[in-house]
Amino acid sequence: MAKTPLIDYRNIGIIAHIDAGKTTTTERILYYTGVIHKMGNIDDGNTAMDWMEQEQERGITITSASTVCFWKGKQINLIDTPGHVDFTMEVERSLKVLDGAVVVLCGTSGVQPQTETVWRQADRYSVPRILFVNKLDRLGANFERVIDESHERLGANSAAIQLPDGHEDQFHGIIDIIEEKYYVYKDDAGEDIDTLPVPEKFKAKVAEMRHKLLERLSDADDMIMERFLEEKPVTVEEIKSAIRRGVIACTFVPVLCGTALRNKGVQFVLDAVTEYLPSPLDIPPVKGINPSSKEEELRAPDPAAPFSGLVFKIATDPYVGKLFYTRIYSGTVNSGDSVWNASEGCKERISKMVLMHANRQEIVPSVSAGDIIALVGLKDSKTGTSLCDQTKKILLENMRIPEPVVSMSIEPKTKADSDRMGMVLKKFLDEDPSLRCTYNHETAQSIISGMGELHLEIIIDRMKREFNLETSVGRPEVAYKETVQRKVTGVVGKHIAQSGGRGQYGHCVIDIEPQEVRGTGYQFVDMIKGGAIPREFIKCVDEGLRMGLTSGILAGYPVVDIKVTLVDGSYHDVDSNELAFQLAAKNALKDALAKAGSIFLEPIMDIEVVAPEEYMSSAIGDLNQRRAKILSLGQRGHLKVTRCEVPLSEMFNYVNALRSLSQGRATYTMEPKFYDVVPKFIADKIIGERTASGHKR
């Protein structure tokens, strides 16, 4: 197969809130590009991209899946991502390596909480976007209201480039605002489309929407602004060129419309992807650090440049073992080549390379800049590993990994499965960086932590199905944290032991204070002067503090958001060693936490509840009992909407409670927002429960 020129590549993702229609849109894209010959359906569990059993049963996307398709001479490397907040890591790592994204919005629900989350993730990586307002055939759909919400809630400089002819069951066709054409669908498959002049009844509306488009576009493009202010005509080509410039610069977002389930509008989304989203040549070169000089370097998207790539996802295949999904940023690499693992500082050999079509594989002999590929045979690579040329080394920026908020205990049902459970958990930990596993020596239990109840439930289910491993699980627990309230100075930590021979001597003095910004984490500052502690032992103090931070003094939860300054100490020429200073630091930290007023922090969730008006007061009453802070009340079509902040500890099994008080007619969405201080009466209860369950204070 001939290699596609780099300018014709489009590396894109489909991102959205759960149930906005991402997978259905992707399914239609694959059908119209000829990758599949029959359109699947979420309800039937037969879509190409949702291949896992758990995805087919639940009707949701759990893991991001990639494929390749072609449209009008352009190669589209496509990743379909999950919309559920529990699998936000899949969106994070996909956006890290993509050049553009299609954000799908529900025509009825509009901008939902997880839409805001994925939008912020796209902002973080400066990913150009187009918006597709889907499900305009549903009851309560309103295209213009959704665009208004994109301005207000996403802060997007967005404008429609299409206009729907009707909503709900009266959705007949699509009007192109730029070219002023009217498209009518003549068949159910959406393949037979008539192109007509704009009907007379729509001409005034099209003129109004075109004026709005130019007004929004003038904020992003100087040429359009000049024409707009001088009231000069703007050609179709000039508008399209300006939209492309604005999209690539992340200063403008075009909005399209349709209904993927009814096969209307998806071909125009493909047209917009090829016309407006960038090729690898349109985005800035990838940045990295030279491991030797520690200076910043750039890698241009050039097949002839030194090789560089980022492993962004690991999956386990039952036949070939681990698949390392990799974005190739520069250079060319062949099957059988050896490359440098810059993250681990070792050589890796690529035994095979495969192009992924969901869970199907196509072996390829060579890949180059712009490709998204799965590598086979790597030994030491993990999610976020930088691969590069052995003579031109570069360490690329890693991705952000979210902190888990829910934990549960897990143990094998038989002793014979103990070792096997450890190996299985290691495979899942390699695949999913947002999953954590620790061992509690006091209760002799393994604790797994993740992004939510569903996240952990899927892990347990996969253990049973894929590895035939039966486990017993404890009830989910909130991932509380501990921190300090005030600054304390001059806290002394000593470890002195004498057993007849060579002893142990470690002595350090620390200051401890809370970080100004919540979520900053742990910071260590070395203020030792005059050699009070030798340089080789200062690192040991830091290590001892880090070990101590894994278990706080209140109930054994991790300690976060503190700054520790090492100000003084002393050593013994013979008795001082690394272990002595680690233990001295742990002793100092324990004393400092007590003096600085250690407190609990709990995850606060951003909740949006949507319900018919007659049930909303009951829903709000229930939320108030759950310590909710109501932020806003509003209307969405015929439904009432409330937005609030609620502690995660109050939200377990909320879905059943909401269904019972609304006769199943209310829905809610939830995502982590921040950590906040736990009220004292709740903190006392937590300490009591932890002490009773065997956690030592």
Side-chain angles (χ1 to χ4, degrees):
M1 187 174 70
K3 178 76 174 174
T4 304
L6 203 52
I7 193 139
D8 291 332
Y9 270 57
R10 298 292 183 271
N11 290 319
I12 69 159
I14 310 290
I15 61 174
H17 184 92
I18 189 170
D19 202 33
K22 296 179 304 303
T23 302
T24 303
T25 302
T26 306
E27 189 78 2
R28 275 37 179 184
I29 286 173
L30 297 183
Y31 177 77
Y32 293 127
T33 55
V35 174
I36 58 175
H37 303 290
K38 182 182 177 183
M39 289 183 272
N41 193 302
I42 290 285
D43 294 333
D44 298 334
N46 60 353
T47 57
M49 301 299 268
D50 282 354
W51 55 271
M52 289 174 65
E53 288 179 24
Q54 293 89 343
E55 292 177 319
Q56 293 166 359
E57 288 171 0
R58 289 171 168 82
I60 61 170
T61 302
I62 291 169
T63 181
S64 54
S66 67
T67 191
V68 178
C69 56
F70 293 84
W71 183 256
K72 296 185 177 178
K74 303 290 192 286
Q75 177 177 327
I76 301 173
N77 298 325
L78 177 68
I79 296 182
D80 177 31
T81 66
H84 197 288
V85 65
D86 283 18
F87 310 107
T88 190
M89 183 63 210
E90 294 290 328
V91 184
E92 188 80 27
R93 57 182 166 195
S94 298
L95 287 173
K96 170 68 179 169
V97 299
L98 291 171
D99 301 332
V102 178
V103 184
V104 183
L105 298 178
C106 174
T108 302
S109 302
V111 175
Q112 297 166 278
Q114 186 64 7
T115 315
E116 295 179 55
T117 301
V118 298
W119 193 269
R120 287 194 298 269
Q121 289 172 307
D123 280 342
R124 188 181 303 126
Y125 298 116
S126 300
V127 177
R129 279 146 275 177
I130 61 176
L131 278 173
F132 174 51
V133 180
N134 189 27
K135 300 190 177 184
L136 288 175
D137 59 320
R138 289 182 64 180
L139 188 67
N142 188 318
F143 180 61
E144 291 184 60
R145 173 176 56 78
V146 176
I147 296 177
D148 290 341
E149 284 187 12
S150 74
H151 299 153
E152 296 161 14
R153 295 177 65 171
L154 301 177
N157 180 30
S158 55
I161 60 172
Q162 292 179 341
L163 185 66
D165 174 8
H167 290 83
E168 302 176 2
D169 58 346
Q170 299 300 311
F171 185 85
H172 299 301
I174 293 172
I175 300 164
D176 187 320
I177 293 170
I178 301 172
E179 297 190 5
E180 298 187 18
K181 292 177 181 176
Y182 180 48
Y183 299 104
V184 181
Y185 288 84
K186 298 171 69 178
D187 66 334
D188 290 339
E191 295 180 279
D192 192 1
I193 306 172
D194 255 358
T195 305
L196 306 170
V198 175
E200 194 66 38
K201 64 177 180 178
F202 287 114
K203 286 188 174 177
K205 187 65 178 176
V206 169
E208 178 196 332
M209 297 295 280
R210 190 181 172 92
H211 185 271
K212 278 186 184 177
L213 168 64
L214 293 173
E215 188 177 15
R216 288 276 176 184
L217 203 49
S218 67
D219 291 338
D221 192 89
D222 291 341
M223 187 272 287
I224 297 292
M225 178 182 281
E226 188 179 314
R227 297 285 182 89
F228 184 73
L229 292 175
E230 294 175 0
E231 297 184 358
K232 290 182 178 178
V234 187
T235 66
V236 168
E237 289 71 26
E238 287 172 338
I239 293 174
K240 288 187 173 183
S241 296
I243 290 174
R244 181 172 171 79
R245 289 193 296 271
V247 169
I248 293 172
C250 294
T251 56
F252 180 74
V253 183
V255 186
L256 297 94
C257 61
T259 164
L261 187 63
R262 305 283 174 242
N263 311 316
K264 293 179 172 70
V266 177
Q267 294 100 321
F268 301 124
V269 173
L270 281 164
D271 289 341
V273 165
T274 59
E275 288 180 335
Y276 304 131
L277 289 179
S279 76
L281 296 173
D282 295 314
I283 59 173
V286 67
K287 294 179 182 178
I289 300 293
N290 185 314
S292 303
S293 65
K294 304 299 180 187
E295 292 182 359
E296 184 176 275
E297 290 190 6
L298 302 177
R299 285 285 188 275
D302 181 358
F307 166 68
S308 66
L310 183 74
V311 177
F312 67 93
K313 176 182 167 74
I314 298 174
T316 304
D317 184 273
Y319 302 106
V320 300
K322 285 185 179 178
L323 295 167
F324 297 83
Y325 286 75
T326 306
R327 165 69 193 265
I328 311 298
Y329 284 106
S330 63
T332 302
V333 67
N334 303 306
S335 213
D337 283 357
S338 290
V339 296
W340 186 254
N341 180 334
S343 304
E344 301 296 325
C346 61
K347 195 156 66 169
E348 298 264 33
R349 185 178 177 276
I350 301 168
S351 61
K352 188 167 69 170
M353 298 185 292
V354 291
L355 206 57
M356 297 301 296
H357 301 283
N359 63 331
R360 292 186 299 108
Q361 301 167 11
E362 177 191 339
I363 297 174
V364 292
S366 174
V367 293
S368 59
D371 282 321
I372 293 177
I373 201 77
L375 307 179
V376 180
L378 306 183
K379 301 295 183 189
D380 298 304
S381 293
K382 303 180 180 67
T383 299
T385 289
S386 297
L387 301 175
C388 59
D389 189 287
Q390 296 181 65
T391 58
K392 299 283 187 179
K393 296 172 184 174
I394 188 170
L395 184 63
L396 303 175
E397 182 190 22
N398 205 336
M399 62 200 73
R400 175 182 169 273
I401 298 172
E403 285 294 314
V405 295
V406 173
S407 303
M408 66 166 60
S409 62
I410 178 173
E411 50 192 345
K413 286 194 174 176
T414 64
K415 284 189 177 180
D417 282 336
S418 293
D419 291 340
R420 204 156 67 89
M421 190 181 85
M423 290 190 296
V424 171
L425 278 173
K426 187 178 185 307
K427 286 185 177 180
F428 287 130
L429 292 167
D430 286 342
E431 289 182 17
D432 186 354
S434 65
L435 180 71
R436 311 287 165 83
C437 182
T438 56
Y439 186 76
N440 190 310
H441 293 277
E442 295 157 5
T443 59
Q445 287 179 318
S446 293
I447 309 294
I448 58 172
S449 306
M451 299 305 298
E453 287 180 90
L454 182 60
H455 185 196
L456 300 182
E457 184 186 316
I458 295 293
I459 295 295
I460 302 300
D461 191 41
R462 288 184 64 193
M463 280 184 172
K464 182 178 178 181
R465 295 197 196 199
E466 295 175 24
F467 300 95
N468 197 27
L469 182 63
E470 296 278 354
T471 56
S472 300
V473 297
R475 65 182 182 85
E477 291 186 7
V478 176
Y480 292 104
K481 312 278 188 190
E482 295 183 26
T483 192
V484 296
Q485 298 183 76
R486 54 186 173 272
K487 182 174 181 177
V488 174
T489 59
V491 181
V492 178
K494 283 188 177 183
H495 177 73
I496 302 172
Q498 197 69 41
S499 56
R502 183 174 177 177
Q504 289 191 337
Y505 181 90
H507 169 221
C508 61
V509 183
I510 62 171
D511 296 346
I512 187 171
E513 60 188 297
Q515 293 277 30
E516 290 183 9
V517 179
R518 191 73 41 82
T520 310
Y522 161 69
Q523 181 185 1
F524 176 71
V525 180
D526 171 23
M527 295 291 286
I528 292 293
K529 295 188 174 79
I533 299 176
R535 305 306 306 171
E536 63 267 24
F537 293 139
I538 289 174
K539 184 182 177 184
C540 303
V541 173
D542 185 21
E543 289 172 355
L545 290 168
R546 288 180 186 273
M547 287 190 287
L549 292 172
T550 60
S551 180
I553 62 168
L554 294 178
Y557 288 109
V559 182
V560 297
D561 297 342
I562 64 166
K563 178 181 176 182
V564 181
T565 306
L566 178 61
V567 294
D568 202 0
S570 63
Y571 71 102
H572 190 278
D573 287 332
V574 177
D575 292 346
S576 287
N577 56 36
E578 293 180 355
L579 179 61
F581 273 97
Q582 285 181 2
L583 294 173
K586 286 182 74 174
N587 294 338
L589 179 67
K590 190 174 181 180
D591 193 16
L593 290 174
K595 291 179 177 176
S598 202
I599 53 171
F600 278 128
L601 298 175
E602 63 181 343
I604 305 296
M605 311 304 283
D606 185 1
I607 309 285
E608 184 181 82
V609 177
V610 181
E613 187 170 357
E614 60 266 34
Y615 300 111
M616 185 52 81
S617 59
S618 299
I620 291 174
D622 180 67
L623 286 167
N624 285 331
Q625 290 178 2
R626 297 172 186 269
R627 297 194 282 137
K629 178 184 176 184
I630 307 296
L631 300 178
S632 65
L633 292 167
Q635 190 90 15
R636 185 176 294 159
H638 305 297
L639 301 170
K640 290 286 186 182
V641 182
T642 184
R643 194 90 178 262
C644 54
E645 294 168 355
V646 191
L648 175 61
S649 59
E650 304 288 347
M651 295 304 293
F652 288 123
N653 207 30
Y654 179 63
V655 62
N656 292 331
L658 186 62
R659 281 173 183 162
S660 67
L661 64 83
S662 68
Q663 297 181 8
R665 295 177 63 193
T667 60
Y668 83 100
T669 53
M670 177 171 76
E671 63 170 342
K673 194 168 186 182
F674 57 88
Y675 269 81
D676 203 5
V677 178
V678 177
K680 188 176 185 310
F681 75 96
I682 301 286
D684 292 341
K685 183 181 173 185
I686 296 166
I687 293 170
E689 288 176 354
R690 294 279 282 186
T691 305
S693 64
H695 291 83
K696 294 177 183 175
R697 289 177 61 185

